[in-house]
Amino acid sequence: MNIHNCELSDIPAILELYEAARNTQIQHNVVVWPYFEAAFVQQEIEEGRQWKLVVNEQIVFNWAIAYTDKEIWGDRDQNDGIYIHRICNHPSFRGNGYIHTLVTWAKVHAKEHGKKYIRLDTLGNNKSLIKHYTSAGFEFLGIFELTDTASLPQHYQEEPNCCLFEMKL
């Protein structure tokens, strides 16, 4: 098991993971991600913000990070955290506790970048994700209504209620 920055050649696999996540969201009747364009993923890869967990040469877990997230976190974003987005687990590898592997990696990555927090969000009142993230050590800060969503992906404009999670290092 290894964690690496994604490469441009990973784009098809990442888009497949996003599609699998969309299908799961539809099945569970929760907020559904929009279709993400390859160019969007390419930009994040070129910026070094797409990451992958690889087992036997297969991407089994994927996420993106940001170092600022004012649109979602507002005044809480004091340039003191890393922000994890679009966590995807390959359907054939669910139940392996990869969220804990991500947390371990994120703690090291945040400290290397002089950050004090790891933060993430999810839309709507997704009780299973709230339980999942709190069981991984995140504090659930509550559900907040987003007001500045114009620059965010479409699903943030369609669902204003956002669950915020944070882990202090």
Side-chain angles (χ1 to χ4, degrees):
M1 178 171 22
N2 295 297
I3 294 175
H4 304 284
N5 271 113
C6 291
E7 301 171 7
L8 294 177
S9 61
D10 295 325
I11 291 174
I14 293 167
L15 294 176
E16 286 179 20
L17 287 172
Y18 288 171
E19 183 62 23
R22 283 178 47 76
N23 291 337
T24 299
Q25 293 160 351
I26 290 167
Q27 290 171 355
H28 290 114
N29 198 30
V30 295
V31 174
V32 179
W33 288 351
Y35 291 101
F36 293 102
E37 300 291 329
F40 176 76
V41 177
Q42 178 179 338
Q43 180 178 347
E44 288 184 334
I45 290 171
E46 289 172 348
E47 293 170 352
R49 298 188 307 107
Q50 277 271 349
W51 293 85
K52 62 186 177 182
L53 188 148
V54 177
V55 175
N56 296 327
E57 299 183 32
Q58 181 172 2
I59 299 173
V60 299
F61 201 75
N62 171 252
W63 64 94
I65 62 167
Y67 297 102
T68 185
D69 203 350
K70 292 274 188 205
E71 294 87 354
I72 295 173
W73 286 83
D75 292 338
R76 285 184 177 94
D77 180 354
Q78 297 291 313
N79 196 29
D80 57 357
I82 64 167
Y83 300 86
I84 302 171
H85 291 284
R86 292 184 315 284
I87 299 170
C88 289
N89 200 70
H90 189 287
S92 298
F93 295 90
R94 290 194 177 121
N96 288 306
Y98 292 136
I99 188 69
H100 299 288
T101 304
L102 167 59
V103 167
T104 299
W105 172 88
K107 286 178 178 178
V108 172
H109 189 81
K111 287 178 183 175
E112 286 174 348
H113 287 82
K115 307 298 183 180
K116 296 188 284 188
Y117 296 97
I118 304 165
R119 295 181 172 131
L120 57 85
D121 68 90
T122 188
L123 293 176
N125 187 10
N126 188 331
K127 292 178 182 171
S128 65
L129 273 182
I130 293 169
K131 182 179 177 183
H132 185 62
Y133 293 142
T134 56
S135 73
F138 286 92
E139 178 183 355
F140 176 51
L141 302 179
I143 299 175
F144 299 86
E145 185 173 336
L146 299 178
T147 57
D148 182 18
T149 61
S151 64
L152 296 173
Q154 184 64 35
H155 60 302
Y156 285 95
Q157 287 138 42
E158 295 170 2
E159 172 57 62
N161 294 322
C162 187
C163 297
L164 299 181
F165 300 86
E166 151 178 293
M167 182 181 293
K168 186 171 177 144
L169 303 178

